[in-house]
Every structure is written in structure tokens, then in C-alpha cells.
Amino acid sequence: INREIISSNLQLEYVRKTIQIIQLKYSEPLQVSYIADECGLNRSYLSRLFKDATGRSIQTYLMDYRMKNAVHLLKETNQPIQNVAFLVGYNDVFTFSRAFKKVFGMSPSDCRAAENNSLPEGN
């Protein structure tokens, strides 16, 4: 049995578990330290594993996942923007709007008003 293969498979399991936690709990105030605790790993070690495997930090992955869901909610529902912010894990609409504009180059209300669906999907 090759130790490197076992180690590599275990590392991928931690990455999968991190993604699964994000997908289940993205609407909650989610900290990297919580995810690391759930995996039974040191925060910086998990962060390095995740970045090596995905090319993105856990925080970036979480924000991208939240934004992808925000776009869906903005386009497919009539939820007020404040509710959308809350549903994707932001406690206040200003922080949400700032993050949304940073990712997509437009405000959530502009996104909702846009006729075309040419926003990036995120990951």
C-alpha cells in the first residue's frame, strides 16, 4: 500500500467534506475555523489543502457559492434584496451588495433588472 495514495485520498476527502459543509450551511454565518473543526483539522492546514486542490481559498469558494445562489434567487424569485442577502448568509444588505458588485460589477437590483442572463454562473 502506497502511503502517498492514502494521504492524497484522505486530503481529497477533506476537500469534499469542506465543499459539502459549504453547500449545506452557506446561508449561515460560516467560519473557516468551524469547517476545520468539523473536519478535525488545523485551520491553516485545511486552508492549504483546499487551495492546493481547488485553486481557491475556502473563503473565496464560499463567497462564489453564495453569489451563485444569490443570482438564482434574484432572477427566479421576487424576494426583496434584503431577504436574498439573508438567505445566502449575509447579515446586512450593504455587505451583501458590496460583495455582489465586486463579483459581478453590478448591484443586485441591476442584476434583477437586467434583461439578459449573461452573468457568470460562478462555481
Side-chain angles (χ1 to χ4, degrees), residues 25-28 66 69-70 73 77 79-91 96:
K25 297 187 174 276
Y26 74 93
S27 63
E28 301 171 20
R66 284 175 167 164
N69 283 286
L73 289 167
T77 74
Q79 289 280 347
I81 291 170
Q82 188 167 353
N83 289 13
V84 171
F86 180 75
L87 288 169
V88 299
Y90 286 85
N91 289 329
F96 167 71

Side-chain angles (χ1 to χ4, degrees), residues 40-94:
L41 293 178
N42 172 290
R43 182 183 189 276
S44 58
Y45 180 67
L46 177 63
S47 295
R48 195 176 33 184
L49 280 183
F50 194 87
K51 177 104 176 181
D52 288 349
T54 66
R56 291 188 281 175
S57 70
I58 295 171
Q59 276 305 129
T60 300
Y61 187 92
L62 172 61
M63 188 171 84
D64 289 350
Y65 193 79
R66 284 175 167 164
M67 290 299 147
K68 183 178 94 169
N69 283 286
V71 168
H72 173 77
L73 289 167
L74 289 167
K75 292 285 188 183
E76 306 299 327
T77 74
N78 290 322
Q79 289 280 347
I81 291 170
Q82 188 167 353
N83 289 13
V84 171
F86 180 75
L87 288 169
V88 299
Y90 286 85
N91 289 329
D92 74 279
V93 74
F94 295 113

Side-chain angles (χ1 to χ4, degrees), residues 13 21 27 41 59 69 76 90 95 103 106 108 111 114 116 118:
E13 270 312 302
I21 291 168
S27 63
L41 293 178
Q59 276 305 129
N69 283 286
E76 306 299 327
Y90 286 85
T95 305
V103 172
M106 68 172 70
C111 169
N116 62 13
S118 62

